């Protein structure tokens, strides 16, 4: 599933390719991809000018000149592609948006249809304008609106394991399984460490690690954990080569050489170094 850096790569591409353009038409090829808006979405988009491309966590949106926004969540396999008019349709093409100029069209392609597009009003959250359906989602660590003090206080009250906490989008958004494991490894924290036992400086170190790893991933076009994640030009990122622990079971820890362990975690996996990230005595699983 794309995480924050991968979504940011797509956002940046959309900002470059669709900002300032006027929508000519929208064609819905699969109703599930627009959450039952197939009857209204084309009319809501026709004639609207796209102002920019914005993002919080894993949500993307295009603010429109009438005060609404076209919001996208890529789900497991969603792609936002820019293609010349007339290029052959992708097998899993769900929504096509054309523009009044002769430039490339925007296509939402989604093999597994867990992603979606929707037109929505905007609301205010964390000092920013965001789509109404996501006003309850906390700022992500790369946002200026991210409040480290408030996050630290909320985290210590949570009484859960640190990984479970940083995956909770109401506390901090945009951190998924991959970058959680990488940030915890960098900060030398076991994933089950009880949040109430963490000091403010340690939480600050973890946040800095999360920001650093996601910023590095952005610089490499994101992580291509599967062939479906691509930028708006259909190209994959290559940060997977730079991952320290995620997906590296039994490979040596880049810091100390101990083989990386894999634990089952919330129907997924947690990768960590048994030496750098020892199991806490009173962990919260
Ligand atoms: Zn290690």
């Amino acid at each position: 599933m794309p995480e924050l850096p991968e979504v940011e790569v797509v956002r940046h591409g959309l900002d470059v390719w669709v900002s300032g353009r006027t929508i000519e038409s929208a064609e819905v090829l699969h109703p599930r991809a627009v959450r039952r808006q197939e009857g209204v979405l084309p009319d809501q988009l026709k004639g609207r000018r796209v102002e920019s491309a914005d993002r919080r966590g894993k949500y993307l949106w295009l603010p429109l000149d009438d005060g609404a926004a076209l919001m996208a969540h890529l789900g497991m396999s969603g792609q936002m592609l820019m293609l010349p008019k007339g290029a052959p349709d992708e097998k899993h093409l769900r929504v096509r948006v054309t523009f009044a100029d002769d430039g490339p069209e925007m296509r939402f392609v989604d093999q597994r249809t867990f992603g979606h597009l929707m037109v929505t009003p905007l609301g205010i959250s964390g000092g920013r304008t965001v789509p109404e359906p996501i006003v309850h989602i906390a700022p992500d660590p790369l946002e200026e609106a991210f409040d480290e003090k408030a996050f630290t206080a909320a985290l210590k009250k949570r009484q859960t394991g640190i990984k479970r906490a940083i995956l909770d989008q109401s506390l901090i958004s945009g951190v998924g399984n991959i970058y959680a494991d990488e940030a915890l490894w960098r900060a030398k924290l076991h994933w089950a460490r009880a949040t109430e036992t963490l000091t403010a400086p340690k939480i600050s170190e973890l946040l800095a690690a999360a920001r650093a790893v996601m910023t590095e991933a952005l610089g490499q076009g994101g992580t291509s954990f599967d062939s479906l994640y691509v930028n708006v030009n259909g190209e994959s990122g290559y940060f997977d080569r730079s991952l320290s622990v995620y997906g590296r079971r039994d490979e040596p820890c880049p810091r100390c050489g101990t083989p990386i362990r894999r634990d089952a975690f919330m129907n997924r996996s947690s990768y960590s170094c048994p030496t750098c990230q020892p199991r806490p005595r009173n962990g919260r699983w």
Side-chain angles (χ1 to χ4, degrees), residues 102-124:
D102 278 334
E105 56 188 42
M106 183 175 79
R107 297 182 182 182
F108 179 60
V109 175
D110 192 5
Q111 183 178 319
R112 299 176 68 181
T113 58
F114 288 118
H116 65 271
L117 301 186
M118 68 189 298
V119 175
T120 163
L122 292 165
I124 300 288

Side-chain angles (χ1 to χ4, degrees), residues 165-184:
I166 60 175
L167 294 179
D168 181 344
Q169 307 289 302
S170 68
L171 268 181
I172 180 171
S173 67
V175 183
N177 208 32
I178 296 175
Y179 297 106
D181 281 2
E182 293 295 309
L184 289 166

Side-chain angles (χ1 to χ4, degrees), residues 79-177:
Q79 303 173 338
M80 293 290 264
L81 303 174
M82 300 303 304
L83 284 145
K85 277 183 179 173
D89 287 358
E90 293 73 14
K91 185 174 172 199
H92 302 289
L93 177 61
R94 307 304 186 197
V95 181
R96 182 203 319 275
V97 176
T98 66
F99 296 88
D101 52 66
D102 278 334
E105 56 188 42
M106 183 175 79
R107 297 182 182 182
F108 179 60
V109 175
D110 192 5
Q111 183 178 319
R112 299 176 68 181
T113 58
F114 288 118
H116 65 271
L117 301 186
M118 68 189 298
V119 175
T120 163
L122 292 165
I124 300 288
S125 162
R128 276 185 69 198
T129 303
V130 303
E132 266 180 7
I134 64 162
V135 291
H136 62 286
I137 290 179
D140 69 56
L142 297 186
E143 274 183 60
E144 269 182 46
F146 189 85
D147 182 340
E148 190 164 328
K149 263 193 179 156
F151 169 74
T152 303
L155 186 76
K156 286 171 74 76
K157 270 194 220 138
R158 201 50 77 96
Q159 304 206 336
T160 184
I162 182 62
K163 181 168 174 184
R164 202 177 271 265
I166 60 175
L167 294 179
D168 181 344
Q169 307 289 302
S170 68
L171 268 181
I172 180 171
S173 67
V175 183
N177 208 32

Side-chain angles (χ1 to χ4, degrees), residues 185 253 255-258 273 275-276:
W185 177 80
C253 165
R255 198 160 40 209
C256 73
T258 308
C273 170
T275 303
C276 298

Side-chain angles (χ1 to χ4, degrees), residues 22-26 40-49 64-66 98:
T22 299
I23 295 171
E24 180 184 59
S25 70
V40 294
L41 184 133
D43 285 340
Q44 288 172 317
L45 291 180
K46 188 179 165 61
R48 299 273 61 85
R49 194 181 69 244
L64 304 172
D65 63 351
D66 63 351
T98 66

